[in-house]
Amino acid sequence: MTKQPEAIYLKDYQVPAFLIDHTELRFELEASRTLVKARLTMRCNPDSHQKTRVLELQGDKALRLCRVSVNDQVLNEQDYKRHDQGLEISHVPDEFILETVVEIDPDQNTALEGLYRSDGIYCTQCEAEGFRRITFYLDRPDVMSIFSTTIEADKTAYPVMLSNGNPVAQGEADDGRHWITWEDPHPKPAYLFALVAGDLKRVEDQYTTSGGRDVALHIYAANKDLNKLDYAMQSLKNAMRWDEEVYGREYDLDIFMIVAVDFFNMGAMENKGLNVFNTSCVLASPDTTTDLGFQRVEGVVAHEYFHNWSGNRVTCRDWFQLSLKEGFTVFRDSEFSADLNSPTVKRVEDVTVLRTAQFAEDAGPMAHPILPASFIEIANFYTMTIYEKGAEVVRMIHTLLGADAFRQGSDLYFSRHDGQAVTTEDFVKAMEDASGRDLTQFRNWYHQAGTPVLAVSDEFDAASQTYRLTVAQSCPATPGQAIKAAYHIPVAIGLLDSEGEDLVLPNGKTTQVLELHDSEQTFEFTGITEKPVPSLLRGFSAPVKLHYPYTRDNLTFLMSHDSDGFNRWEAAQKLAVNILQALIEDFQHGRELVLDSQLGDAFKVVLANVDLDKAMVAKVLSLPSEAYISELSDVIDVDAIHTVRQFVRQQLALQLEAEFVASYQACTLEDIYSPDAASIARRSLRNVCLSYLMETGKQDFLELALKQFHEANNMTDSQAALYIVVHSGYQKAGEVILDQFYQRWSDEPLVVNQWLSVQASNPQAGVLTHVEALMNHEAFNMRNPNKVRSLIASFCAQNPVNFHAIDGSGYRFLADQIIVLNKLNPQIASRLVTPLTRWKRYSADRQGLMRKELQRITDSGDLSRDVFEVVSKSLA
Ligand code: B3K
Ligand code: ZN
């Protein structure tokens, strides 16, 4: 039996015993037999206590070692040890040149980590530990080196050959081959290395930094996609300007390149000077891309660009520090998107994702602090917690310090640590040093997992004109952490009088940040003449669950009066949740479902208010998702949640039919598509109205949806119509337009992905059989992560009623796919396990079925570290 993978611990961190000053690489690219020659200028690390002179290099077991030499002396097999994880060379001198030649097979690399070739394009993915699949190396982020990379390949098949930095030489070679050398002057860890070679075309632009550096901007894609790169280019330039203005950060090379590839495990990768992107995060055109897609392109292009400072110039000491770069960079990109579009809409979107997916993760078997103490496979820790909760933690520092002190803190962090590999502690320390604030207790956010719960109560004493808010905090146990210390939590609040006006608070403003330190704390407000309605956690100032006994009347009052846009939406959500939960209980007790008119009345007011941002109206009208209601449930009753939510949607549709029709018509369409915030808002409100109207079951509205499908001049509207018709159960009409859609777009893989996902997420009965059939469709390819996500992940994560079918068929289907993918692409396989990890949240019958499938995955044998970690932790 193979050895079980073991965990590694943050507490065991040691500085590297050796350093690599220069890394010279030479790639001779050839199908199934690529040679990688590495020449490393190495020396002992003066800061290391380990003086054994044993050099341990990481290297995947698939590397075929052809030659190794130290200072030109070729080593014999007795001079080194080759084992599964690398190479051990004893007795190396203080300073030396290590040369290796290895052979790898990029065509067989279906894990898409290291160097792989897909669709005729060679490309790399090295974060976190992919470089060791390319050559033997000190593959850890605190070893930073200057890279020079030569690539040689066939000239016709690979006219474009790229790597980090600047091209410094190129020439012709024998047999129709050519070569090029790239040099990157900035020392970097191996995870930021990149190589791309293929028949790619590019669009070009130019950017002059505020300091006067002219930067060439190149975005590469397949020839047919060249017309879909303008939006990414504009987003890149916007991001470059924004980072100068908001963070004082300029770009530091003469060239910045982005390459779009179709086979990619995640969204994109911030390799120095050469970002590699999943096509889904860079290609955008009105015909083929939805508004959501445009926003994603803008956000991801900015995110990867921002990493140039938060990640590349200042990098992570070790992978436990991942949130140092990811949390901070997500915070940066979300502020960027907020600035360029609508801050309230962006906040609502971010919080929605956080509260459904991250809160669920925090309550599950994989819960971990944003600074984890251990892991088995780092690839499993690119999580909602590291990214989104990490961003919330940075946001709280921003809230506590204020924008100016935060900027001084980030300036200090960047200047103090430029060119270094550092820790989250270094980040917090810089914030403390620049602001003079004590963040000692705040650090608990880095070390403790779980979502804190705030229970808020209040009292009003008319005689002394005093209003008291009492906040009690607690945090549930998570794996390995039974007891939690109190957090330092910024709670932004406002108080509304009976007219809906904000009271002036002790800070002289209408919003004040209360700082919670104790497990229970009371905040007193004097000079208050009537009991106010509190507006709590404005802007969602902390990633917590907050409970306050709002009445439904309080919530409708806040919906129309709260001056905080986020909390107006939040009041609507709370009202809807309150109503849905009561109906779920009725359903479970076999009582007749009756929706009182309160929610509809509140929605009517919102729909009638022409001054409101239409995007916010659309958000308010959208009921909390089944996933969010699930997250709020003690025991998730999939069928009750689905039935009740559908019932409420239908009742609202009947009650507000006229208003939905009026709003649909009022949201007029432009002749020319534009992805600006106002146009996106109109389209999203229109499509929310249409989706309600379909719930009435009236033929007229089916016709309206079909008309929209056929006449739409953009993908947002045609895809929305497709989704609405298919999901509303008009099977015949749905089949016809699904077919037309596929015929029209079969040459556009990203559109076909949406086509797969609309079908996979369809809640109508019997969809699993259809999904299974689609697995054999020409459009599906198990080796392409985008296809797997669109079909398998959409079914398992976006289709709760079918995935959780009580006969266990959904679970069985998923386990079958995981067992196959475990061999092909462990990272993708491991991500797919997520829905099964949540088994404890369901009723006993489903628990048993889900556990059985987790067990079956374990028993299938030969699990990758990725899948092993998630499955074993889930069963523990
Ligand atoms: N840093 C990369 C993620 C790499 C994931 C490796 N499994 C993209 C990003 O967060 O910007
Ligand atoms: Zn990132």
Side-chain angles (χ1 to χ4, degrees), residues 12-13 54 117 191 238 263 336 484 505 565 619 669 779:
D12 295 338
Y13 172 82
V54 179
R117 188 172 75 146
Y191 85 84
N238 292 344
F263 282 64
F336 164 78
K484 310 290 166 82
L505 300 173
K619 298 268 179 229
L669 281 186

Side-chain angles (χ1 to χ4, degrees), residues 524-586:
E524 212 170 77
F525 303 85
T526 51
I528 311 274
T529 51
E530 57 173 347
K531 183 168 185 192
V533 177
S535 163
L536 302 166
L537 208 68
R538 281 187 161 172
F540 202 69
S541 61
V544 299
K545 295 185 177 184
L546 184 140
H547 300 299
Y548 172 85
Y550 283 118
T551 62
R552 290 185 184 174
D553 285 344
N554 286 157
L555 295 170
T556 44
F557 175 80
L558 288 170
M559 268 178 79
S560 21
H561 298 293
D562 200 322
S563 61
D564 184 74
F566 176 86
N567 266 5
R568 275 203 303 279
W569 169 80
E570 176 72 334
Q573 285 284 293
K574 282 200 147 95
L575 179 64
V577 164
N578 185 308
I579 288 168
L580 287 161
Q581 284 177 333
L583 286 169
I584 287 169
E585 223 182 295
D586 288 342

Side-chain angles (χ1 to χ4, degrees), residues 753-797:
N753 295 347
Q754 297 177 33
W755 177 80
L756 290 170
S757 143
V758 165
Q759 297 174 79
S761 57
N762 183 1
Q764 305 304 320
V767 161
L768 176 57
T769 320
H770 188 60
V771 169
E772 284 170 331
L774 285 170
M775 304 264 306
N776 297 317
H777 193 280
E778 58 172 8
F780 185 75
N781 176 357
M782 197 67 153
R783 295 191 175 201
N784 183 327
N786 286 353
K787 304 289 170 200
V788 172
R789 279 186 279 262
S790 304
L791 188 59
I792 304 174
S794 294
F795 175 77
C796 301

Side-chain angles (χ1 to χ4, degrees), residues 34-71:
T34 283
L35 281 186
V36 184
K37 300 178 178 170
R39 184 174 194 275
L40 311 180
T41 310
M42 302 192 66
R43 64 187 158 96
C44 287
N45 181 1
D47 295 337
S48 168
H49 302 299
Q50 193 199 322
K51 296 282 181 252
T52 56
R53 295 300 169 78
V54 179
L55 172 64
E56 286 188 56
L57 298 156
Q58 286 81 41
D60 188 73
K61 59 177 181 302
L63 296 181
R64 295 190 287 270
L65 180 61
C66 309
R67 205 181 96 112
V68 51
S69 70
V70 171
N71 286 337

Side-chain angles (χ1 to χ4, degrees), residues 127-128 266 268-270 303-304 307 325-326 382 387 827:
E127 185 179 358
M266 61 277 167
M269 176 64 211
E270 71 265 24
H303 178 98
E304 305 310 332
H307 268 316
K325 73 177 178 81
E326 296 305 347
Y382 287 76
Y387 277 67
Q827 286 186 16

